[in-house]
């Protein structure tokens, strides 16, 4: 290879690496803008609720034309869906420390407490995930079996599966069904606190303890009814 060929080769490499650098920079800027849009959208939802979020308002907040936002998200619902995904990721992160408790019977109340704590500490995120538009959570559970939504539910299922495997539940018990009962219970506690703030009820933490105790041991001090006594 002579000097001319060598020089041409060096120039080609510089041009190629230079163009790669520009492409990478543009992709990084695109990713950063997408994250900025989501961050600002989340701030609006947390402070004002999901109904306050609009593409026009979001464009003004990030100081870009609305058309720019549509290059990243099809519509407001697409942004909401992504926020739901991230909300479930936050929920999963809250559940994971409790999920590490080895004894499933000790793990159960820890998971319930972590779930309720998440809902009460992140009310707008919780509302967006579970109480805004059923299409959002339906899409997460239907389209992404390995996503944070199904994985969060899987953590609840696992505690009952472990109890069954350890012989501490009757054969034929359905872990998924019991996980749904637990989920319905903790969701009910969170929802009641978020929607009925004036209701002078029992503190959420105490309700959670009662829920788990009742689920595990049944109603405290339950006595046989009259019909049962006659049958004996």
């Amino acid at each position: 290879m002579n000097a001319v060929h060598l020089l041409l080769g060096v120039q080609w490499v510089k041009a190629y690496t230079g163009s790669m650098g520009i492409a990478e920079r543009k992709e990084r800027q695109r990713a950063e803008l997408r994250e900025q849009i989501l961050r600002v959208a989340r701030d609006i939802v947390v402070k004002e609720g999901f109904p306050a979020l609009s593409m026009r308002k979001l464009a003004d907040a990030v100081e870009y034309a609305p058309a720019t936002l549509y290059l990243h998200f099809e519509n407001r619902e697409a942004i909401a869906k992504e926020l739901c995904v991230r909300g479930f990721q936050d929920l999963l992160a809250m559940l994971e420390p409790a999920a590490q408790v080895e004894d499933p019977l000790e793990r159960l109340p820890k998971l319930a407490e972590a779930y309720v704590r998440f809902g009460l500490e992140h009310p707008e995120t919780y509302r967006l995930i579970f109480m805004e538009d059923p299409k959002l959570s339906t899409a997460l559970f239907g389209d992404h079996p390995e996503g944070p939504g199904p994985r969060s539910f899987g953590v609840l299922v696992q505690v009952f599966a472990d109890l069954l495997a350890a012989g501490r539940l009757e054969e034929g018990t359905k872990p998924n069904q019991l996980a749904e009962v637990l989920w319905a219970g903790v969701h009910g506690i969170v929802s009641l606190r978020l929607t009925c703030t004036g209701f002078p009820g029992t503190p959420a933490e105490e309700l959670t303890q009662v829920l788990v105790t009742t689920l595990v041991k049944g109603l405290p001090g339950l006595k046989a009814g009259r019909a049962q006594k006659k049958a004996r």
Side-chain angles (χ1 to χ4, degrees):
M1 180 181 294
N2 59 35
V4 174
H5 288 142
L6 182 60
L7 180 59
L8 290 174
V10 170
Q11 290 174 337
W12 181 86
V13 169
K14 286 183 177 180
Y16 177 76
T17 55
S19 63
M20 285 293 290
I22 292 172
E24 290 173 355
R25 184 165 61 254
K26 286 183 177 179
E27 184 59 34
R28 184 173 64 250
Q29 291 171 344
R30 176 181 173 82
E32 289 173 352
L33 177 54
R34 189 175 191 277
E35 287 301 312
Q36 182 185 358
I37 293 170
L38 288 170
R39 184 170 60 253
V40 173
R42 185 180 185 280
D43 288 343
I44 293 173
V45 170
V46 167
K47 293 176 183 177
E48 305 176 49
F50 181 64
L53 182 66
S54 69
M55 297 299 274
R56 170 66 65 179
K57 185 172 186 175
L58 188 53
D60 291 342
V62 297
E63 299 181 341
Y64 277 90
T68 303
L69 271 60
Y70 286 106
L71 295 176
H72 297 268
F73 297 97
E74 181 180 358
N75 48 36
R76 186 182 78 136
E77 285 64 35
I79 294 176
K81 184 176 180 180
E82 182 61 28
L83 291 177
C84 280
V85 170
R86 297 187 179 208
F88 266 114
Q89 289 173 341
D90 292 341
L91 172 59
L92 184 60
M94 184 76 86
L95 294 175
E96 282 178 338
Q100 302 307 311
V101 176
E102 185 173 355
D103 185 342
L105 207 55
E106 294 179 7
R107 189 190 320 155
L108 182 55
K110 298 293 185 184
L111 287 171
E113 291 164 8
Y115 185 104
V116 172
R117 188 167 65 253
F118 172 81
L120 297 183
E121 290 180 359
H122 307 280
E124 291 303 334
T125 297
Y126 192 88
R127 287 176 187 273
L128 180 62
I129 295 174
F130 295 112
M131 304 169 68
E132 194 62 53
D133 185 343
K135 290 184 293 186
L136 296 174
S137 55
T138 298
L140 290 181
F141 278 86
D143 299 342
H144 305 281
E146 300 302 321
R151 286 171 59 199
S152 297
F153 179 63
V155 169
L156 303 184
V157 174
Q158 190 62 51
V159 68
F160 295 107
D162 288 346
L163 284 170
L164 181 61
R168 301 169 79 173
L169 293 176
E170 290 184 0
E171 288 295 328
T173 298
K174 300 176 182 178
N176 278 53
Q177 194 175 69
L178 289 177
E180 286 186 51
V181 172
L182 175 62
W183 191 7
V186 290
H187 172 68
I189 291 173
V190 174
S191 300
L192 186 63
R193 286 294 172 268
L194 295 185
T195 58
C196 300
T197 55
F199 176 65
T202 306
E205 295 78 8
E206 187 176 338
L207 277 181
T208 306
Q209 294 175 2
V210 173
L211 171 69
V212 174
T213 300
T214 304
L215 181 61
V216 173
K217 299 180 179 180
L219 293 174
L222 182 65
K223 295 179 174 58
R226 292 179 181 177
Q228 290 175 312
K229 287 181 179 179
K230 289 181 180 180
R232 292 177 183 175

